[in-house]
C-alpha cells in the first residue's frame, strides 16, 4: 500500500456496464442554491443523467440515498455536460447537455420537503437544437465580449464549428484542413477558440474572424474560399507540438494575461496568449486527464494530472509537489467545494467509479518484530560458502542447456509412407494432363514434462504443397504421445530443388526458456517422377565415376523398373511430372554412370538419388571404402545461362512494377480530373477523359497480369537455379573430394536464401559470400585479406562480376585451395588436384575476360570431353 494514497471522502459506482468519457463530469451550483456548494453532474453514454450532492461517509458506511438528487434517462448518449448562463433574459445557471445529434438546455430546480430525504429535484427543458452534423465536443463563454450570458460552440466530427446564441443558431464555419476533431476551448481574454488539429499543432481562431467569414454550410464552399471568393478563414497563430492532444484548458493568471494548457500523449504544455511556450513537462507515464488551477503562490499554476498507473500527480508549474494513488484510472478530474469542504478532488473512471477524495497520508500501523540477536559462527559460514561455490561451479561446468537426448523435454520423429496414397490428396494442381500422386507423412511428438502451446510447422520446397502445415498441441501431463498426419504433393509443373522436408517444433520449457527442435524427412523420388522411355540423345550429360563394379539399375531403382524391358538392365528412363525426361546409363565394366537430359537443372535430383542409392547399396553389403568422383569439366557455362535467365526476370519484374506504378498514378490523376468535372455546377465537356480513363484501366490490368506472370516465372527460375546450384556443389565436392565441413561452407555461400525478392536477391548475396571466401581462406596473399568488403548489398547491373568470382573460386579450388571459416588460413596455390582443370596464371587472372575464364571449366554443352565409354556407346546403339 502506498503511503501517499488519496483519502476517500465519498465514492459510488454509477449504473451497470455504463461508459463515460472526459466530458461527462461537471461540478457547479446547478440548482442556483446560492450557498456556494457545488453539485456533481454526471452523464453517461447510455443516456443517463445524474446529479449528486454527496455527504461525508461514516466509517464502515456507504453512500446514502439522499446523496443522489436526480437521475433521469435521456435516451440519447450524453457526450458532454456543462453549466453556464445559457438562457436569455436571466443570469441563472442552466445545464447544457450535448448529444450526438442534439443540444439540450435544462433548468434544474428543487422543492423542499418536510424532511431531508423529502426534497425533490426536477429538470425542465428550456430549449433544444437539432444538429445537422454529428457532434464531437463543445465549449462555451461570452463570445464577442458580451456581458451576462454565455454562448455555446459545438465542434462536429467533420471539423465544423457551430455557434449558438442561446435559443438561436448563429453561424457555422469549417476549420481549414480539418481531418479529425480535437479538444476545443475558449479564451475569454483574447476572444478566440483554441484547438489541436490532426496535423498535431495548436491553432487559435479569433471569434471575430469566424463571425465575419463567409458562411460555410458545405465543405465545397471552403474550396471556393481558397480560390478567392468570399472572406477567407485565417488562423490567428499555430504551434506544432508533435503529438496528439487529449485536452485543452484556459487559466487566467490576471486581468492582462492567461495561460493555455495542452495535455499531450507524452508531455503537457503551458502556452502564452500568443502561442509562445511558457514551459513544458515530459511525463513519465501515459496521462489520462488533467486539470490546471491557480496556485496560492503568486504567478504559478498547479496542475492535476491523472495517468493510467492509477496515480494522480500534482505539479506546480513543472515541479512535482505531490503524488497520490487512486483505486481506478481517472478519465476526468474536477476540484470543487462540497459541504464547506474546499478543494475536494472529484474523479471519474471510464466504467463509472465516481470518487471524492482529498490529499493526505495513510500511515501503516504495522511494526516489524525485533529480530533475536545471535552470535555468528564464522567457521560454519565459511564451510557453507565453500559448498555453495562448489555447487555453482558444477552448474557452470554442466552448462545451461541439456546435453543428452535423455534430458530433452520433447522428442520428435518423422516417418514417410513407403507407398503413395491410394486416393491422391492433391487439389488445384497445375501440372498438365498427368495425374499427381500424394504421399502421407506422419510426425510423432512425445513429451517428458508438461508443455503448453507447442507449435509444429512443416516446410517443403516449392512447388511441393502440404495439405496442412501448422499444428498446435498442449501436453497437460508427462509422457503423452501426439501424432499428426498430412500429405505432400506437387502443385506446379516444375521440379523442386530438394525432396527433403523439415519439421520445426517451437515451445517454451517450464523455466521459460524458448526451445526449437528440428526433424528432417526425405520424400521419395516417385512423388515427382514417373518411369519413362530412355532417350538416345540429350543436350546435357554428366558422368560419375566410382571405385566399385557397376550395379544393375533395376536393383537400384526397383520402383521405376519396367517389366517389359528386362533385357535393358543398364538403361533406365525417368519422366518428371511436367514433361522433362532424364536417362540413366550404367557401364558394365568401366565403373561409370551417365546421366543425361535436355534440361541442365533436371540432372540434379536423379544424380543425387543415384549417389544416395549406391551408398545405401554398398553399406548393406558391408563395403566401407565406396567413393564417387567426377573427372569431367565443371559445367559453368550452363550454370551461367541459368543465372542470366534468373537475373533477366528480376530486371523485367522491376521494370514492370515501375511501369505499373506510373500507370496507377496516371489513373488516379484522370479520376481526380473527372471527379472535378462531375462536381462542377456548370457542366463542361469531358474532352475524352473517359476514353483515356478506360484505356489506362486496361493498361493497369494488363501490367498487373504481366507482373503476376513474371513473378510465377521468377519462382520457377529460382527453383531451377537452386537445383543447378545443388548439382554444381555436388560436382565440385566429387571433383575436389571436399570434406563435409568444406561442403557446408560451399552450400552456405551458394544457397544463402530460401526466398528471392527484389529487395534482396540471390545474385548480390552469393557474390558477397564468394568475394568473402576469395579474400579470406582462398586469398593469394595477406594483401588480399586486408581488403575491406562493402557492407551494403545492392542489385548489380549485370552478372559478369558474379560469374567471374565463381570462375575464380573454381580455379583456386583446383590449385589446392582449402575452404575454412578461419581468415588466417592462406590457401596453397602450387598444387593441382588430379583430374582438375588447367591452372590460370595468377598475374593476369583479374584482367582476363569472362569468356576466356569460363572456357577452362566448361565445354559448351559437351560435358563428356573425356574418352567415351565403350559399353555406354554400345548401349546407345542398342537403343537405336
Amino acid at each position: 500500500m502506498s503511503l501517499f494514497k488519496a483519502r476517500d471522502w465519498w465514492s459510488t459506482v454509477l449504473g451497470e456496464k455504463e461508459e463515460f468519457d472526459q466530458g461527462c463530469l461537471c461540478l457547479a451550483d446547478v440548482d442556483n442554491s446560492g450557498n456556494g456548494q457545488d453539485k456533481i453532474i454526471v452523464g453517461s453514454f447510455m443516456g443517463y443523467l445524474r446529479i449528486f450532492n454527496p455527504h461525508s461517509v461514516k466509517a464502515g458506511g456507504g453512500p446514502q440515498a439522499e446523496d443522489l438528487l436526480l437521475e433521469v434517462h435521456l435516451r440519447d448518449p450524453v457526450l458532454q455536460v456543462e453549466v453556464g448562463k445559457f438562457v436569455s433574459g436571466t443570469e441563472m445557471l442552466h445545464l447544457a447537455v450535448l448529444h450526438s445529434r442534439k443540444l439540450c438546455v435544462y433548468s434544474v430546480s428543487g422543492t423542499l420537503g418536510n424532511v431531508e430525504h423529502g426534497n425533490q429535484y426536477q429538470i425542465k427543458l428550456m430549449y433544444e437544437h437539432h444538429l445537422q452534423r454529428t457532434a464531437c465536443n463543445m465549449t462555451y463563454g461570452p463570445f464577442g465580449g458580451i456581458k451576462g450570458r454565455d454562448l455555446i460552440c459545438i465542434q462536429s466530427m467533420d471539423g465544423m464549428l457551430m455557434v449558438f446564441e442561446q435559443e438561436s443558431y448563429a453561424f457555422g464555419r469549417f476549420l481549414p484542413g480539418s481531418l479529425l476533431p480535437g479538444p476545443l476551448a475558449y479564451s475569454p481574454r483574447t476572444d478566440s477558440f483554441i484547438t489541436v488539429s490532426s496535423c498535431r499543432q495548436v491553432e487559435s481562431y479569433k471569434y471575430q474572424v469566424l463571425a465575419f467569414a463567409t458562411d460555410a454550410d458545405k465543405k465545397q464552399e471552403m474550396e471556393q474560399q481558397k480560390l478567392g471568393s468570399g472572406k477567407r478563414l485565417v488562423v490567428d497563430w499555430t504551434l506544432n507540438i508533435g503529438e496528439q492532444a487529449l485536452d485543452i484548458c484556459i487559466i487566467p493568471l490576471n486581468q492582462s494575461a492567461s495561460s493555455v494548457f495542452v495535455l499531450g500523449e507524452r508531455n503537457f504544455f503551458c502556452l502564452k496568449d500568443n502561442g509562445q511556450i511558457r514551459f513544458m513537462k515530459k511525463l513519465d507515464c501515459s496521462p489520462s486527464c488533467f486539470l490546471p488551477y491557480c496556485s496560492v503562490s503568486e504567478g504559478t499554476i498547479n496542475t492535476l494530472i491523472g495517468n493510467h498507473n492509477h496515480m494522480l500527480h500534482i505539479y506546480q508549474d513543472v515541479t512535482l509537489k505531490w503524488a497520490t494513488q487512486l483505486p481506478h484510472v481517472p478519465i476526468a478530474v474536477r476540484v470543487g467545494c462540497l459541504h464547506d469542504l474546499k478543494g475536494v478532488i472529484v474523479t471519474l473512471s471510464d466504467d463509472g467509479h465516481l470518487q471524492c477524495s482529498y490529499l493526505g497520508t495513510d500511515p501503516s500501523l504495522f511494526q516489524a518484530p525485533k529480530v533475536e540477536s545471535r552470535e555468528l559462527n564464522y567457521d560454519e559460514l565459511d564451510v557453507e560458502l565453500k559448498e555453495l561455490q562448489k555447487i555453482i561451479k558444477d552448474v557452470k561446468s554442466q552448462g545451461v542447456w541439456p546435453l543428452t537426448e535423455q534430458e530433452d523435454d520433447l522428442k520428435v520423429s518423422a516417418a514417410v509412407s513407403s507407398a503413395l496414397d491410394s486416393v491422391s490428396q492433391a487439389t488445384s494442381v497445375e501440372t498438365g494432363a498427368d495425374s499427381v500422386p500424394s504421399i502421407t507423412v506422419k510426425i510423432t511428438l512425445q513429451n517428458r514434462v508438461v508443455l503448453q502451446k507447442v507449435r509444429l510447422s512443416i516446410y517443403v520446397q516449392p512447388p511441393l504443397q502440404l495439405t496442412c502445415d501448422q499444428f498446435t498441441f498442449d501436453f497437460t501431463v508427462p509422457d503423452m504421445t501426439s501424432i499428426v498426419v498430412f500429405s505432400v504433393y506437387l502443385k506446379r509443373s516444375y521440379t523442386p530443388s530438394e525432396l527433403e522436408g523439415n519439421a520445426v517444433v517451437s515451445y517454451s520449457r517450464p523455466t521459460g526458456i524458448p526451445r526449437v527442435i528440428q526433424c528432417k524427412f526425405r520424400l521419395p523420388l516417385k512423388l515427382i517422377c514417373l518411369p519413362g522411355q530412355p532417350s538416345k540423345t540429350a543436350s546435357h550429360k554428366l558422368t560419375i565415376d566410382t571405385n566399385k563394379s557397376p550395379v544393375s539399375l533395376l536393383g537400384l531403382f526397383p520402383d521405376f523398373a519396367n517389366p517389359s524391358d528386362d533385357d535393358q538392365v543398364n538403361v533406365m528412363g525417368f519422366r518428371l511430372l511436367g514433361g522433362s525426361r532424364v536417362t540413366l546409363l550404367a557401364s558394365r565394366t568401366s565403373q561409370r554412370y551417365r546421366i543425361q537430359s535436355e534440361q541442365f537443372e533436371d540432372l540434379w535430383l536423379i544424380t543425387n538419388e543415384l549417389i544416395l542409392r549406391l551408398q545405401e547399396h554398398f553399406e548393406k553389403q558391408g563395403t566401407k571404402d565406396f567413393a564417387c568422383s567426377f573427372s569431367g569439366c565443371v559445367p559453368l557455362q550452363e550454370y551461367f545461362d541459368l543465372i542470366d535467365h534468373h537475373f533477366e526476370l528480376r530486371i523485367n519484374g522491376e521494370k514492370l512494377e515501375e511501369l505499373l506504378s506510373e500507370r496507377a498514378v496516371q489513373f488516379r490523376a484522370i479520376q481526380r480530373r473527372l471527379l472535378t468535372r462531375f462536381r462542377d455546377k456548370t457542366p463542361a465537356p469531358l474532352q475524352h477523359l473517359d476514353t483515356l480513363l478506360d484505356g489506362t484501366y486496361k493498361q493497369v490490368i494488363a501490367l498487373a497480369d504481366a507482373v503476376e506472370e513474371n513473378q510465377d516465372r521468377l519462382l520457377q527460375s529460382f527453383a531451377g537455379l537452386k537445383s543447378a546450384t545443388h548439382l554444381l556443389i555436388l560436382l565440385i565436392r566429387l571433383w575436389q573430394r571436399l570434406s563435409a565441413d568444406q561442403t557446408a561452407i560451399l552450400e552456405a555461400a551458394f544457397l544463402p536464401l530460401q526466398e528471392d525478392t527484389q529487395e534482396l536477391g540471390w545474385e548480390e548475396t552469393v557474390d558477397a559470400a564468394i568475394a568473402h571466401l576469395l579474400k579470406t581462406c582462398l586469398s593469394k596473399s595477406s594483401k588480399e585479406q586486408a581488403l575491406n568488403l562493402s557492407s551494403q548489398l545492392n542489385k548489380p547491373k549485370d552478372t559478369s562480376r558474379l560469374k567471374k568470382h565463381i570462375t575464380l573460386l573454381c580455379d583456386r579450388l583446383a590449385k589446392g585451395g582449402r575452404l575454412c571459416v578461419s581468415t588466417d588460413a592462406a590457401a596453397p596455390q602450387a598444387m593441382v588436384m588430379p583430374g582438375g582443370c588447367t591452372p590460370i596464371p595468377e598475374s593476369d587472372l583479374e584482367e582476363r575476360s569472362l569468356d576466356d575464364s569460363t572456357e577452362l571449366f566448361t565445354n559448351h554443352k559437351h560435358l563428356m570431353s573425356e574418352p567415351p565409354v565403350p559399353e555406354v556407346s554400345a548401349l546407345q546403339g542398342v537403343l537405336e
Side-chain angles (χ1 to χ4, degrees), residues 5 60 68 146 159 162 292 326 419 737 776 829:
K5 181 184 178 184
L68 179 60
I146 61 175
M162 298 172 284
L326 296 173
R737 297 180 176 88
T776 53
Q829 303 292 340

Side-chain angles (χ1 to χ4, degrees), residues 604-862:
W604 154 244
L605 288 179
I606 304 301
T607 305
N608 186 53
E609 190 73 18
L610 171 65
I611 295 176
L612 291 177
R613 296 200 181 195
L614 284 173
Q615 291 175 348
E616 184 180 356
H617 172 77
F618 287 105
E619 284 179 1
K620 290 182 179 180
Q621 293 185 351
T623 304
K624 297 183 179 180
D625 58 344
F626 171 76
C628 297
S629 62
F630 176 72
S631 57
C633 292
V634 180
L636 289 185
Q637 186 58 46
E638 288 78 359
Y639 184 59
F640 291 161
D641 292 340
L642 292 174
I643 293 177
D644 291 336
H645 178 62
H646 176 263
F647 187 73
E648 181 182 357
L649 290 176
R650 286 185 63 192
I651 298 298
N652 290 341
E654 186 176 9
K655 292 179 180 178
L656 287 173
E657 289 179 359
E658 290 178 358
L659 192 58
L660 178 61
S661 177
E662 293 176 1
R663 292 295 179 268
V665 172
Q666 176 180 325
F667 185 72
R668 289 192 292 269
I670 299 172
Q671 281 183 319
R672 287 195 294 269
R673 284 288 190 88
L674 281 174
L675 188 60
T676 303
R677 295 289 179 89
F678 291 148
R679 284 182 173 178
D680 197 352
K681 295 181 179 180
T682 59
L686 297 180
Q687 296 178 346
H688 301 288
L689 284 176
D690 53 344
T691 306
L692 185 58
L693 180 69
D694 183 64
T696 307
Y697 173 76
K698 292 179 180 179
Q699 290 181 0
V700 169
I701 296 300
L703 285 172
D705 294 338
V707 168
E708 187 175 355
E709 181 183 358
N710 187 84
Q711 185 66 26
D712 292 341
R713 294 176 60 192
L714 185 62
L715 292 176
Q716 182 174 351
S717 174
F718 186 59
L721 181 60
K722 289 174 65 177
S723 297
T725 304
H726 280 293
L727 180 61
L728 183 69
I729 294 173
L730 174 65
L731 296 179
I732 294 177
R733 176 173 68 86
L734 299 179
W735 169 44
Q736 292 297 321
R737 297 180 176 88
L738 300 180
S739 64
D741 293 339
Q742 291 176 318
T743 306
I745 295 174
L746 208 58
E747 290 178 348
F750 276 90
L751 296 169
L753 301 176
Q754 290 295 329
E755 295 183 3
D756 191 40
T757 61
Q758 291 290 352
E759 293 78 14
L760 182 62
W762 181 87
E763 286 80 6
E764 55 265 31
T765 311
V766 173
D767 184 46
I770 295 178
H772 175 75
L773 293 178
L774 292 175
K775 295 182 185 300
T776 53
C777 60
L778 295 179
S779 63
K780 295 181 296 183
S781 62
S782 59
K783 183 178 180 181
E784 280 191 359
Q785 294 183 8
L787 295 177
N788 293 325
L789 299 176
S790 175
S791 60
Q792 294 184 352
L793 293 181
N794 299 320
K795 181 185 292 186
K797 296 181 180 180
D798 52 39
T799 58
S800 59
R801 175 184 172 88
L802 172 62
K803 292 187 288 187
K804 191 172 185 178
H805 283 165
I806 294 176
T807 305
L808 186 59
L809 173 71
C810 294
D811 173 72
R812 297 207 176 159
L813 288 176
K815 293 180 178 180
R818 183 171 61 90
L819 293 170
C820 61
V821 295
S822 175
T823 58
D824 299 332
Q829 303 292 340
M831 182 178 64
V832 179
M833 297 298 293
C837 306
T838 306
I840 301 176
E842 293 291 341
S843 59
D844 60 344
L845 175 63
E846 298 294 339
E847 288 78 14
R848 299 188 60 170
S849 64
L850 179 63
D851 294 336
D852 295 339
S853 301
T854 55
E855 286 177 357
L856 300 171
F857 297 96
T858 180
N859 201 13
H860 295 284
K861 298 189 179 180
H862 295 287

Side-chain angles (χ1 to χ4, degrees), residues 160-406:
M160 181 180 182
L161 298 184
M162 298 172 284
V163 178
F164 296 89
E165 293 185 356
Q166 296 180 338
E167 291 86 351
S168 60
Y169 172 74
F171 57 86
R173 302 288 183 266
F174 275 106
L175 297 180
S178 175
L179 180 63
L180 294 174
L184 180 67
Y186 173 72
S187 175
R189 206 193 71 81
T190 59
D191 192 27
S192 58
F193 295 100
I194 300 174
T195 184
V196 178
S197 66
S198 54
C199 299
R200 299 184 175 183
Q201 60 183 10
V202 185
E203 299 177 350
S204 175
Y205 296 92
K206 291 285 188 179
Y207 175 76
Q208 297 297 331
V209 176
L210 288 170
F212 288 103
T214 304
D215 193 17
D217 288 333
K218 296 181 180 179
K219 278 197 172 183
Q220 287 82 353
E221 298 183 13
M222 293 297 296
E223 300 296 330
Q224 295 178 4
Q225 289 184 16
K226 294 180 181 179
L227 299 177
S229 59
K231 191 172 181 62
R232 187 177 178 184
L233 180 58
V234 181
V235 64
D236 185 23
W237 55 262
T238 62
L239 174 67
N240 192 341
I241 61 173
E243 58 183 311
Q244 296 294 339
L246 304 180
D247 201 359
I248 295 179
C249 191
I250 313 295
I251 298 298
L253 292 177
N254 48 52
Q255 293 182 355
S256 60
S258 61
S259 295
V260 179
F261 284 83
V262 181
L263 178 65
E265 295 173 327
R266 295 174 297 275
N267 308 274
F268 84 91
F269 306 83
C270 179
L271 314 178
K272 297 180 180 179
D273 291 334
N274 56 2
Q276 297 179 355
I277 296 181
R278 286 188 63 226
F279 63 81
M280 64 172 289
K281 173 67 177 177
K282 182 176 178 59
L283 303 175
D284 297 330
C285 303
S286 176
S288 58
C289 61
F290 86 138
L291 178 68
Y293 61 94
C294 292
S295 174
V296 178
S297 302
E298 184 69 23
T300 61
I301 292 181
N302 290 350
T303 308
L304 299 173
I305 300 181
N307 59 42
H308 290 276
N309 290 347
H310 299 258
M311 296 294 292
L312 187 67
H313 292 168
I314 294 90
Y315 290 89
Q316 187 176 72
D317 289 345
V318 295
T319 305
L320 180 64
K321 290 297 185 179
W322 195 268
T324 183
Q325 187 179 16
L326 296 173
H328 56 262
V329 177
I331 52 96
V333 58
R334 301 289 185 270
V335 175
C337 178
L338 302 176
H339 284 279
D340 296 328
L341 183 62
K342 297 181 179 180
V344 177
I345 300 174
V346 182
T347 56
L348 175 67
S349 69
D350 58 353
D351 56 354
H353 285 78
L354 181 64
Q355 177 175 338
C356 301
S357 55
Y358 58 93
L359 303 180
T361 59
D362 193 4
S364 175
L365 301 178
F366 173 76
Q367 294 182 356
K370 293 182 179 181
V371 181
E372 296 181 1
S373 61
R374 59 186 179 92
E375 294 182 0
L376 298 178
N377 190 335
Y378 293 99
D379 295 335
E380 293 181 357
L381 291 178
D382 289 339
V383 173
E384 184 180 358
L385 178 61
K386 291 179 180 179
E387 292 178 354
L388 293 176
Q389 289 177 342
K390 182 180 179 181
I391 294 174
I392 294 172
K393 185 177 181 181
D394 294 339
V395 171
K396 287 184 177 180
S397 62
Q398 293 175 2
V400 179
W401 303 99
L403 302 178
T404 61
E405 287 188 5
Q406 288 75 12

